Amino acid sequence: GLDCRSGWIIDVQSDQVLTANFRLAPNQVANQWTTMTSTSATRPIISTATNSIYGLDLQGASNLVINHLSLKTTAGTPGDGIGFAGFNAGASHVIIADCIVDGFRRGITDHDAGSNVFLDALIIVGCEVKNCTIEGLGLWSGVQMEGCYIHGNVKNMQLDGQRSGDVSVS
């Protein structure tokens, strides 16, 4: 998970549940896209039961596509599904499409918990975010979202628009 390299296409070709006790953290290299996807008909589930683990850590990510995956936690104290595990580096140009994010603290967030770094240019399309203990979506720095199903979270969405980008939801 921590050795993902930019320019890679990672295709999870399984319809099984993959159990992980680490976070996925793609590296940043300018002008190369990294894709994490599944070409299987059934969306694979990447699951963790470890407390405070992020499903996908966006620190330093650039040019990243996450497609047709399911991230799930059963931890008693979950981390965030997709977001920033710390405030060392921002991120840019991330597309999250056709994914399920289930049971995390925050499902998808575009900034760190202390509002120090943020994600510039996030697109979320056709995703389901559910059963999160704080909020399904925490968005405020330049997001476009369309066709998503956000439900069963303590708070479904927090839209602030505090940075220079706009938040557009349809």
Side-chain angles (χ1 to χ4, degrees):
L2 297 179
D3 64 350
C4 296
R5 300 291 182 242
S6 69
W8 282 9
I9 297 174
I10 301 162
D11 186 353
V12 182
Q13 296 182 345
S14 173
D15 60 0
Q16 304 299 309
V17 175
L18 306 173
T19 303
N21 62 357
F22 56 89
R23 70 183 193 273
L24 300 172
N27 291 346
Q28 175 182 4
V29 173
N31 301 320
Q32 293 186 12
W33 284 86
T34 300
T35 301
M36 299 175 75
T37 189
S38 176
T39 54
S40 295
T42 302
R43 191 182 289 109
I45 299 170
I46 301 172
S47 178
T48 184
T50 305
N51 287 336
S52 304
I53 292 293
Y54 278 59
L56 179 67
D57 181 2
L58 294 175
Q59 287 186 94
S62 179
N63 302 331
L64 176 64
V65 177
I66 307 300
N67 182 59
H68 196 62
L69 298 174
S70 179
L71 301 175
K72 180 180 176 97
T73 185
T74 57
T77 306
D80 291 356
I82 300 174
F84 293 84
F87 52 88
N88 296 324
S92 66
H93 303 96
V94 174
I95 300 169
I96 304 167
D98 188 31
C99 290
I100 296 174
V101 180
D102 183 5
F104 289 90
R105 188 173 69 114
R106 289 184 174 90
I108 301 172
T109 184
D110 62 1
H111 57 284
D112 72 290
S115 302
N116 300 292
V117 296
F118 64 96
L119 171 54
D120 182 32
L122 170 63
I123 298 173
I124 307 169
V125 179
C127 293
E128 180 179 10
V129 180
K130 59 185 179 177
N131 304 319
C132 295
T133 61
I134 299 285
E135 61 195 14
L137 299 169
L139 307 174
W140 57 276
S141 67
V143 177
Q144 294 183 10
M145 184 175 73
E146 181 178 348
C148 295
Y149 184 33
I150 314 302
H151 65 99
N153 305 291
V154 170
K155 182 190 302 181
N156 284 319
M157 279 194 269
Q158 178 74 35
L159 303 174
D160 289 330
Q162 296 180 17
R163 295 286 178 168
S164 59
D166 293 329
V167 175
S168 173
V169 175
S170 62

